[in-house]
Amino acid sequence: MATPELTIADAIREVTAAVQQAINDGYRSRAIDADDLVEVLLAIADRLDPPVPETTNEVAFPCPECGESDVDRLIWQDDEFVRCDSCGTIFSPGE
Ligand SMILES: [Zn+2]
């Protein structure tokens, strides 16, 4: 499971990679100024907290029996198993 630290580190890595690519492609100067810094910091913030919220409420591994994918209807039983509230199936996501 992604920790907040990992999420932040990934956002910084993605933005950094995009900036490096822009420099390599010649779109961006190697000499940064205050505007560049602000732009990069805002880009990281946008990745962590998108201006347009993601509307999906679906899990990566829906119920294998009935296909239920609403995160509110798939209840963790322990570290391994999830119980589907729609049909009662207990399954191990990702297997
Ligand atoms: Zn189900």
Side-chain angles (χ1 to χ4, degrees), residues 63-68 74 84-89 91:
C63 172
E65 190 64 31
C66 72
E68 179 65 71
L74 298 169
C84 173
D85 252 4
S86 295
C87 72
T89 298
F91 64 100

Side-chain angles (χ1 to χ4, degrees), residues 35-54:
D35 288 338
D36 292 320
L37 184 58
V38 167
E39 195 180 307
V40 167
L41 290 174
L42 286 177
I44 293 169
D46 282 350
R47 280 179 194 253
L48 292 172
D49 181 26
V52 178
E54 291 177 26

Side-chain angles (χ1 to χ4, degrees), residues 13-31:
R13 287 189 193 104
E14 285 173 23
V15 170
T16 302
V19 171
Q20 283 175 326
Q21 188 64 51
I23 292 171
N24 290 340
D25 292 347
Y27 293 125
R28 188 178 275 278
S29 165
R30 285 184 177 279

